[in-house]
Amino acid sequence: EADWKANRRISHLWRVHAASGETVQLTRGDGESTPRWSPDGASIAFITKRSEDAADQIYLLPTAGGEAQRLTDHETSVRDISWSPDGATLYFLADDPKSDEEKRRDELEDDVFAFDENWKYRHLWAFSRADRTESQLTTGDFTIRSYRLSRDGTKFVFHRTPTPLLDDSLRGEVWIMNVDGTAARQVTRNEVPEQGAELSPDNSRVLFLSDSNERLEFYYNRNLFVVPAAGGASRMLLSEMPYEVQDASWSDDGRTIYFTANTGVRVELFSVDLQTEELQQLTHGDHTISSWSYHPALARQVFRIDEPTNAGDVWISGADGKNAMRVSRVYDYLAELELPRQEAVRWTGADGTEVEGLLYYPLEYEEGKRYPLIVQTHGGPRSSDRFEFGSWSRYVQVQTAMGYAVLKPNYRGSTGYGDDFLRDMVGHYFSQAHLDVMAGVDHLIARGIADGDRMVKMGWSGGGHMTNKIITHTDRFKAASSGAGAVNWISMYAQSDTRVQRTPWFGGTPWQEDAPIQVYWAHSPLKDIYKVSTPTIILVGANDERVPPPQSVELYRALRANGVPAHLYLAPREPHGWQELRHELFKINVELDWFEKHARGRSYEWVVAPEGTEEPEPRRATESEAQP
């Protein structure tokens, strides 16, 4: 729920009876997460931080009713909890604590730190319910990024990296050890990012996912691999499948793997036979399957279905995906609202390749009438836009209610369309991607849907990169909003907290011998910023490490110096994805005000955040917000 007084969202735990749909709210605190049923179903473990806690702790709630009791008193925040099969032990990850000397220096504000070295290792712990004691299962100069307990409760499989730094994921490998922390051994030695490792039911094999091809070369659609638990060569499954695997799990007998995959504008549930590699699609629809898990003891799939008219209620099906039953009705209220029609659209890119995207029709759409168009480009760019209700940051329901059509193109570089489509960016970031976007715009104009004289462009992160490129490529848009976008790939490479994705784009680093500096500069929007005439607003979080504020400052100062109407809005405390409710509302208001003014020549009434239970009152933009 949105707590406007606290200026944040607060999540609570709920329980639904699968057969009857009876729903009960279990917690009402300051925010709870990560619920985990005990093996006997008598209690639920979850993570929260209450007023007396110094960090996030594990709490235990009886399912029969009563007050939740704190189990752990760990010095640092716990995360990623799981139960042993007998219910006697809870496992969790936690960062190493600060030393006494570090704490003393913090108190004295003698707190100069070494950049990119001010992190702590993360290790695996066990909590015994019998004597309420904690024990550390892993130690050393490495970080456990994630882990899974084997189904018989005797072993762990985990992803281990030298540091918790994002780029060190390339140096991570899959490891196995006994449940008491002994006999740890390395399983993979491939130096590509891996995730989602899980032991087979007999503990003889490990499945994992990697953004690699069958030769274990980096920057491909995420694929499914199996490797012997004793070590050795890994095997990639479904080498001809064009989709991107998102999550995977073994069947109860270990002969099949279930997985979800991004197929472009949809996410579906699949199964693959280990011996024959026969692929079966288990779900079908204009939707996104998310929050999926498989429960072998019950032969049940549990997942959320996010679709244009439902933001993701919970469903249960058989192992084969049949007899799916909706068990929660959180989003029934959306049936009372007028929502836009979503449609998958396809067009031909500049080089003849088919491109796909999503079109959102304005409410009360009339055939033959042209509408102002908002073009939104997704981030990543290793991602895709899919059939779903959507998020606050893109608010298509508001835009279509105001009479806009919205296009979300899955341009070159998007996932779910095969490796050639994804890897079009390798060696040249802006090769076909921006041309794909503009071809989609022209397709909607040719269909008589979009008004080419009333178009605006917006995007965040990778979508912001695209916005920055588009405004240097064309003056056809009346206004633009660039959210946390890069404008100078040379400076961006060093400023960001991650570089591994970007090195393939440009064929090397900017600081190696014979560096491909000309490639970096050729694909930097800043190179062509002198061409821009589009009025542009820029938004970024002050604590954004992924696309740091200096990128937005470079863009802003270049536009203003060249006489282009522009504003830069910096949100205090915010990381790459904004989280505070008032900041989120500001983004929506300022974008709509900018678009209405420049594309439609009319004013926009700002919505003010509610205070207590009072209804929000409209307001106009301030002079600095409204004037170029």
Side-chain angles (χ1 to χ4, degrees):
E1 60 189 22
D3 186 330
W4 287 96
K5 184 176 181 181
N7 199 23
R8 64 185 178 94
R9 291 175 181 81
I10 296 180
S11 298
H12 298 300
L13 307 187
W14 294 67
R15 184 186 68 214
V16 59
H17 189 272
S20 69
E22 179 187 3
T23 305
V24 177
Q25 183 173 347
L26 300 178
T27 61
R28 299 179 184 275
D30 293 330
E32 301 81 32
S33 67
T34 324
R36 298 287 184 266
W37 287 101
S38 63
D40 62 4
S43 56
I44 298 172
F46 62 90
I47 294 176
T48 190
K49 179 183 177 182
R50 297 192 169 171
S51 57
E52 65 272 20
D53 300 328
D56 293 339
Q57 304 295 340
I58 301 176
Y59 279 72
L60 194 66
L61 178 69
T63 54
E67 185 67 24
Q69 300 295 319
R70 187 179 67 190
L71 295 184
T72 58
D73 189 18
H74 204 73
E75 188 171 352
T76 61
S77 290
V78 306
R79 65 184 75 194
D80 200 3
I81 58 177
S82 61
W83 288 89
S84 63
D86 61 5
T89 307
L90 278 157
Y91 303 103
F92 63 90
L93 295 177
D95 292 349
D96 290 344
K98 289 186 176 182
S99 66
D100 290 340
E101 174 61 19
E102 288 171 324
K103 294 175 186 176
R104 188 187 71 83
R105 289 181 58 199
D106 285 346
E107 291 176 358
L108 296 172
E109 297 184 342
D110 180 16
D111 49 6
V112 175
F113 63 90
F115 178 74
D116 255 6
E117 300 176 38
N118 58 323
W119 41 260
K120 294 292 183 181
Y121 294 114
R122 183 175 303 150
H123 284 289
L124 182 58
W125 290 72
F127 175 84
S128 170
R129 292 184 65 193
D131 56 14
R132 300 179 69 86
T133 59
E134 299 176 0
S135 56
Q136 188 169 349
L137 301 180
T138 62
T139 58
D141 294 342
F142 59 86
T143 278
I144 306 296
R145 288 187 179 265
S146 63
Y147 74 97
R148 282 188 184 177
L149 184 65
S150 64
R151 290 182 181 171
D152 64 5
T154 63
K155 297 182 183 297
F156 291 110
V157 61
F158 55 92
H159 295 276
R160 169 176 157 173
T161 59
T163 78
L165 294 175
L166 186 57
D167 268 13
D168 270 342
S169 61
L170 265 178
R171 301 168 61 196
E173 302 292 353
V174 176
W175 287 65
I176 293 176
M177 71 179 182
N178 293 333
V179 74
D180 61 359
T182 61
R185 66 179 187 276
Q186 186 173 341
V187 177
T188 63
R189 300 177 184 275
N190 52 38
E191 295 186 350
V192 292
E194 302 153 326
Q195 64 187 72
E198 181 181 71
L199 277 157
S200 60
D202 63 1
N203 294 337
S204 67
R205 294 166 292 174
V206 176
L207 69 78
F208 66 90
L209 311 179
S210 180
D211 301 338
S212 311
N213 64 6
E214 54 195 348
R215 296 183 299 277
L216 294 171
E217 297 166 330
F218 178 54
Y219 209 84
Y220 287 78
N221 277 280
R222 188 174 305 118
N223 286 302
L224 176 60
F225 294 81
V226 175
V227 62
S234 58
R235 166 192 168 200
M236 191 183 95
L237 303 178
L238 303 168
S239 59
E240 299 301 318
M241 184 183 71
Y243 311 138
E244 175 162 88
V245 181
Q246 296 196 324
D247 201 359
S249 186
W250 295 93
S251 65
D252 56 345
D253 60 9
R255 298 177 181 177
T256 300
I257 291 177
Y258 299 109
F259 65 93
T260 56
N262 171 9
T263 69
V265 294
R266 301 168 184 86
V267 174
E268 303 285 9
L269 178 61
F270 296 82
S271 68
V272 57
D273 183 283
L274 265 291
Q275 184 174 358
T276 66
E277 292 199 29
E278 178 186 358
L279 177 67
Q280 291 189 18
Q281 184 172 334
L282 305 182
T283 60
H284 300 79
D286 290 341
H287 57 216
T288 292
I289 302 294
S290 63
S291 303
W292 163 78
S293 61
Y294 169 66
H295 293 262
L298 301 175
R300 292 288 184 271
Q301 311 279 2
V302 182
F303 47 87
R304 295 171 54 224
I305 298 181
D306 193 344
E307 52 191 342
T309 57
N310 187 290
D313 270 313
V314 179
W315 291 67
I316 294 178
S317 76
D320 58 4
K322 296 180 180 178
N323 302 315
M325 176 178 66
R326 181 180 169 193
V327 298
S328 77
R329 298 196 171 273
V330 176
Y331 298 109
D332 275 355
Y333 72 93
L334 293 177
E336 303 172 6
L337 304 179
E338 291 185 64
L339 298 173
R341 173 161 61 101
Q342 295 184 25
E343 176 185 288
V345 291
R346 296 177 181 85
W347 59 90
T348 302
D351 64 349
T353 299
E354 183 179 75
V355 183
E356 186 177 43
L358 290 173
L359 169 65
Y360 300 74
Y361 286 88
L363 298 189
E364 302 178 359
Y365 170 74
E366 298 178 19
E367 189 80 27
K369 181 179 178 180
R370 292 187 181 273
Y371 292 85
L373 178 69
I374 297 178
V375 179
Q376 299 189 13
T377 45
H378 63 73
R382 293 181 57 110
S383 182
S384 70
D385 275 313
R386 303 180 286 266
F387 282 107
E388 58 188 4
F389 185 79
S391 67
W392 73 266
S393 63
R394 303 176 77 177
Y395 57 99
V396 291
Q397 294 81 8
V398 176
Q399 294 165 349
T400 54
M402 293 176 63
Y404 289 94
V406 179
L407 174 65
K408 294 183 178 181
N410 284 338
Y411 52 87
R412 225 71 59 93
S414 300
T415 53
Y417 297 98
D419 289 328
D420 289 343
F421 197 93
L422 170 77
R423 288 175 58 81
D424 182 79
M425 287 185 164
V426 173
H428 37 62
Y429 188 94
F430 289 115
S431 174
Q432 295 296 321
H434 62 297
L435 302 179
D436 289 345
V437 174
M438 297 311 300
V441 169
D442 289 335
H443 175 72
L444 295 187
I445 293 174
R447 284 182 56 183
I449 296 172
D451 182 346
D453 293 324
R454 294 186 295 166
M455 302 191 303
V456 297
K457 174 70 185 70
M458 63 180 287
W460 194 272
S461 190
H465 310 340
M466 182 63 76
T467 298
N468 297 343
K469 173 64 177 181
I470 289 288
I471 61 176
T472 68
H473 174 73
T474 180
D475 61 0
R476 294 172 62 185
F477 292 95
K478 299 301 182 184
S481 173
S482 172
V487 70
N488 181 347
W489 287 119
I490 301 172
S491 57
M492 169 70 168
Y493 193 89
Q495 291 166 358
S496 176
D497 64 349
T498 181
R499 290 153 297 284
V500 294
Q501 305 281 346
R502 298 173 180 132
T503 309
W505 296 343
F506 305 110
T509 75
W511 45 61
Q512 69 187 42
E513 186 177 3
D514 297 323
I517 292 295
Q518 290 306 314
V519 181
Y520 276 87
W521 184 240
H523 293 271
S524 296
L526 193 63
K527 179 180 77 71
D528 297 313
I529 206 73
Y530 67 93
K531 300 177 181 179
V532 177
S533 59
T534 305
T536 302
I537 54 173
I538 308 155
L539 302 103
V540 69
N543 294 341
D544 191 336
E545 294 182 324
R546 193 64 33 83
V547 187
Q551 288 297 307
S552 294
V553 172
E554 286 193 50
L555 174 61
Y556 169 70
R557 288 190 168 145
L559 293 177
R560 290 292 287 246
N562 289 344
V564 178
H567 297 289
L568 169 58
Y569 299 108
L570 199 67
R573 301 173 298 280
E574 292 287 16
H576 190 53
W578 289 10
Q579 299 172 354
E580 296 184 22
L581 296 178
R582 286 176 172 81
H583 290 163
E584 294 173 355
L585 181 57
F586 177 88
K587 175 187 183 294
I588 295 171
N589 275 324
V590 78
E591 285 180 329
L592 289 176
D593 192 291
W594 195 249
F595 296 162
E596 288 285 274
K597 174 183 178 180
H598 290 284
R600 305 175 83 174
R602 63 188 195 183
S603 61
Y604 166 76
E605 294 293 330
W606 282 46
V607 175
V608 177
E611 300 292 342
T613 58
E614 296 177 6
E615 288 297 315
E617 300 234 355
R619 75 168 173 92
R620 293 299 314 281
T622 64
E623 183 176 351
S624 63
E625 291 162 351
Q627 299 302 316

